[in-house]
Amino acid sequence: PNAVLHFDVELVGAEEGPTPVNVFKQIDLNNDMALSREEISGYLKQQVETMANAGGEQGEEAKKMMEDQDKLVEEIFAHEDKDKDGMISHEEFSGPKHDEL
């Protein structure tokens, strides 16, 4: 019926997590603070090749992604390119884009 549980919690340790990756910077090869279809496509190709080399389920997934890559790029632009200017600006990009402070 009616019961109240109280827990005593002790912090045993804390450590730094992995450093966040600035994906925007990885994709933005010409450092113009905007991502073109070519830059997105090149980045996806590189990621898919890494997955394909891993083999197994990732390899199968990579094959499917290679076939759908153009569609994938268009989906990314439909979602991220808010002002529809054909570029995804730093502000529009929703992925990881900040270096460690």
Side-chain angles (χ1 to χ4, degrees):
N2 291 342
V4 177
L5 294 176
H6 292 278
F7 292 96
D8 286 326
V9 179
E10 179 184 348
L11 179 62
V12 178
E15 58 187 54
E16 289 290 318
T19 305
V21 177
N22 186 336
V23 174
F24 189 91
K25 193 185 281 186
Q26 287 183 339
I27 302 172
D28 186 21
L29 298 178
N30 63 0
N31 296 318
D32 65 351
M33 295 303 280
L35 307 179
S36 66
R37 279 177 167 76
E38 293 74 26
E39 286 172 323
I40 298 271
S41 185
Y43 179 77
L44 287 176
K45 186 172 188 285
Q46 180 187 331
Q47 296 300 306
V48 167
E49 283 170 4
T50 302
M51 284 173 64
N53 293 337
E57 274 185 39
Q58 279 199 328
E60 291 303 309
E61 182 73 18
K63 282 184 193 144
K64 191 175 179 316
M65 285 174 75
M66 277 181 198
E67 292 166 14
D68 297 338
Q69 188 165 333
D70 290 341
K71 197 170 115 193
L72 204 54
V73 171
E74 289 312 312
E75 284 175 15
I76 291 168
F77 267 81
H79 185 263
E80 299 283 315
D81 185 16
K82 308 276 188 271
D83 62 7
K84 305 294 179 223
D85 67 349
M87 300 292 275
I88 298 171
S89 69
H90 190 263
E91 290 74 33
E92 291 171 324
F93 185 72
S94 66
K97 59 186 176 184
H98 296 290
D99 289 319
E100 191 69 22
L101 298 174

